[in-house]
Structure formats: C-alpha cells, structure tokens
Amino acid sequence: MRTEQMRKLKRFSRFEHLLLLPLALLTTQCGIFLAGPDPRASLPPCVDDDCDCGDLISQPQAQAVLDSFRNDPYSLDRDGNGRACEALPLAPPSLAALTYVSTSPHLALGNPSHAGKTYANDFLIEREQYALAYSRDRSSLIWASWRVNRSWLGQTDRQDDFRPDGNLPKAFAPVLPTAYRGSGYDRGHMVPSGDRTRSPADNSATFLMSNIFPQAADNNRGPWRELEEYAREQVQAGKSLYVIGGVYGDQGKVGEVTVPGRIWKVIVVLDSPTADVSSITNQTEVIAVDMPNRDRVDASWQTYQTSVDRIEIATGYDLLSSLPVEIQAVLEAK
Ligand code: MN
Ligand code: MN
C-alpha cells in the first residue's frame, strides 16, 4: 500500500504541476472546460478548501502540497525554509502486512487499514451492527464500516445511552460519556444513530464512545447530517448501501481524545435492498466526501465531494480493497 500511495503521489511530477496549474487557472477564468487530468487529483482533498498541517498525515504529503502551490497559500512552511510541516512523521503509518480475515457483512468491501485484534492503534471491533477500527493513542475510532438496507431501519427512538466501550482492551483508557463536556465539540457519531433503528440494542450500539468522535457542531448538524439523511432516503427508496467513514488529521485534544482535522465518508449505492458486493460494476454509484472538522462549513455536503482515490491519498488506507482492481480503479477515480 505504501508503494501504491507513493506511486499516486508521484503520478504528477512537480514539472507537470507547473504546466497544469496555470492552465487550470486560465481555463477556469475563461470559463472554458478542457477535458484532462485534474492536477489536484494526486493531492489530498484539503487543497480544495484550506489545508492545515493538522490535515496531513506525513511530511512528504505536506511537501507535495507545498510544491504544487509555491506561494504557500496554506502556510505549510511557516519558517520559509522550503520544507512543509516538518513536525509531521516522515512516512505515513504503514499498514500491517497481514489483513485480518473477517466474515462480517460490514467488511464486505474490505478492511481499509488492515486493522486487527492485536494492534493498539488499529484495533478491530466487530459487532453485529458495524465494524470499526479504534486507535488507543487517539482515544477514538479511525474508521467504521457498515451496511444499510431497509432491514436495518425501524421505529426505535434514539437511546442516547452514551457509554464507554467495554469491548476495548483493559489497557486502553476508557473514554467517558462526559469526556467532551465544555469543549464545544459535539459527540459526533460515525455510524449514525438513525442508521440503526431496528431494535433498541442496535441503536444503543451506536452510542458506545468508540463510535463517537469530537465533531464541530456546525459540521455535525450541517453538511454531515445532510449527507446522512440523503443516504437514508436512498435506502427508504429501495436501494442499499455500504458505508465506510473515518477521521484523520489532528487539531489538538479534548482531554485524551484527538480532535480530527478532517472527516470522510464513502458510500457505495446498490440498486436493491438485497444486492451485495457481487453486483458492483464500473457503473455503480459511489459518493465520496471529505470535510474539514470545523464550524465554518458549507451547508451542502456536495461541496465536499471528492474521489475515493484522494481519500486514499489523504489517509494512507486502501478502500474498496475486496473489489477487482479494474473496478476499484474506475470507481475510485470518479
Ligand atoms: Mn451526527
Ligand atoms: Mn482501493
């Protein structure tokens, strides 16, 4: 994966950027649409709004952004020495060589970070209701993956029983439901309460603190919620979904919990309630978003649409990894 990522980062050399960026600016200003590779496609999605060192996972990645925007609009090179975000790690976290084999229906599209039962910062939790990977050092999930079709939706009210996750190893400091109190951040769900309303037990599973992250209130109640509701409308209309969502980046801490800089989600939309991964083709609809975790956000989730490829660049994960590589290549570039 690391080599795949490096290849993606290298796909646009510095030379090509120098040629393409002025061209892209020129064509935008003249209102002319020129088909061709998007010079930003090899960079993380934060370049579309406002990158911060806390949105990037490694120094080389920050450097790739700086090298593409030599006037440093994001202030990635505060000391002006030509090197971006020098405090970041020199390499993205490498994925484990072995992928834990799972029969969970929620992991049918793969295990993005190769999470397993023995990795403290990539700790896999599988429940009947969802699968997620948890980081001890961040004291939160890093991603979750879950299936949604009509059978998951019912009449159950929000249980609101936020509580520590007893499935985490004893050595992990438990995150209490009061952990974000006074921080200004919402207790944001990754697997939405509204996606698990078949029974009180299902809904209650979304209130475990392992499924919760510190989320900017206007994001949680704005575009993030809009996307959750849009996705559920598709399910009510007879479609079904595979959803993978996660967090990355670092903009400080609330107690022991890392506040992510960015929040992403990939939704694969299938045409019937019972369709499974075997029905996925090059034509399958894929929605990918990557949003800044801050209050200053656009109300519409569409503003934050990006490609799966760019989320892979930003996170270092391999998404949709269970699909044939040709289908992955098409769906991830959309
Ligand atoms: Mn929410
Ligand atoms: Mn992939």
Side-chain angles (χ1 to χ4, degrees), residues 312 318-321 328 332:
E312 290 185 335
D318 185 6
L319 298 164
L320 315 185
S321 62
Q328 264 186 80
E332 293 182 356

Side-chain angles (χ1 to χ4, degrees), residues 189 215 220 224 228:
H189 281 71
Q215 185 173 14
N220 182 30
W224 193 253
E228 289 176 340

